[in-house]
Amino acid sequence: MNSWENVTLLFSAGARQLKPVDKLTLGELLLANRLPPTLFQAYEVPGDGTLKAVPMSLALDEIPEGRNVILQCIRNTDIDALRPTEIEAVHHGQEPVAAMFDFQYADESKNPTHRVHLIDAAGIQDIVFGKISDFLTQQDAELPLVAGISGGGDSNTLVQGVHRYVTTHGLDASKVTCFTLVMSPIWPDSAADRARALCSEAGFDHRVLYPKDMAELLGMNESPERLWEELSDRYTADLAHFFGTFFINLAGRAICGQVEGTNLLVGYNREDVMAELLFCLMNGRRPMPFPKRRTGDTDVLMPVWDVPKNMLDSCYPHFSEINYTERVDSSAVRRSSIYYMSHALDALVPQMSTSLLKGTAKLMDELGGWQELSPVEGTPLMHTGYGDPKEQAELLNLLQRYFPQWRPVTEQAQ
């Protein structure tokens, strides 16, 4: 008989085991039933007519022999209208690779609709590629288009989604340029192979940029490898995620300039955008614009902004798994925490993050409340106005040694 021991958790830091069933706490049992532990009070029942309050951290193997536990809901919650554990499985194909949860809480007749759609590989690709094509249609995205392709699940779906867009509208596929950066240890060479195969299939131009190519494209007088070494020495290797995003954005905008395009496509998924929104709100900042963000002369488009990452990975499961094995391990605790919270939202209430994102976007549009990016004069950099002026000036001085064509105005950075 299979048990929890047959399941392994795999992280960039290595394999981990799930907690044994008898070690699960009362709170974890509630979560397994899609119920928030803070909605309940736990009591131990000795059997003599008394009650003893116990913490939600009490594990099953800590309950005394012969004792029962009551989990009392502390609100007058209408459980019949919610029924969070009654989920209808809807099959879309014989061999499902992804699960899409569809939760519609009860109407006045107390009829909640809780479904999980089990979708096969062809079905999930059709959904994701269609969403990308529809997004670009809604944005009226003009050619030429530039897309950053990393070899992972998020950005690789852009290739086929854009292919569907240009095919549907009879556009010239040669006007789509995809690029992949290669530089150890952040961007492995094998990622370029995966991206190259996808772009070849779609008929798109694909540029693989090695360190010397990046340096030439961006007008650097030293290798980006040396810049990475200096920055990681100064800020630790946990900077890898931020360095990667920074360089992909710089390279993508530079290529847009070369091909005379204004649209840069990136693979920011639902949890990426939600994590950024949470970070901004928790720190008292205005939200950054999504799913279209003006950055200098370029519109950064996020075609999969409302698609969960696991759905994107399901489109190319083999490519995605290889990508994860190649990732740099990170101990960036705050980044890990914010992503943990982002994923946790939909874990308890499916599509909650989408509701929050759409509501925030509507509010910001109505109020004109988005955080605008301002140019750092004399450079292609943008800034939000937050941060320590002295640290910003020091970082600009460091970057200028690698980008001699930049002529930053220190006061502007401050």
Side-chain angles (χ1 to χ4, degrees), residues 192-204:
D193 294 334
R194 298 191 293 274
R196 186 182 293 111
L198 290 169
C199 292
S200 175
E201 181 182 347
F204 295 159

Side-chain angles (χ1 to χ4, degrees), residues 30 36-41 56 74:
L30 286 168
T38 54
L39 187 60
F40 294 83
Q41 171 62 56
M56 281 293 173
I74 60 177

Side-chain angles (χ1 to χ4, degrees), residues 43-53 65-68 70:
Y43 297 99
E44 184 183 299
V45 185
D48 59 2
T50 64
L51 293 177
K52 175 188 174 184
E65 189 72 26
R67 299 290 180 88
N68 294 321
I70 292 175

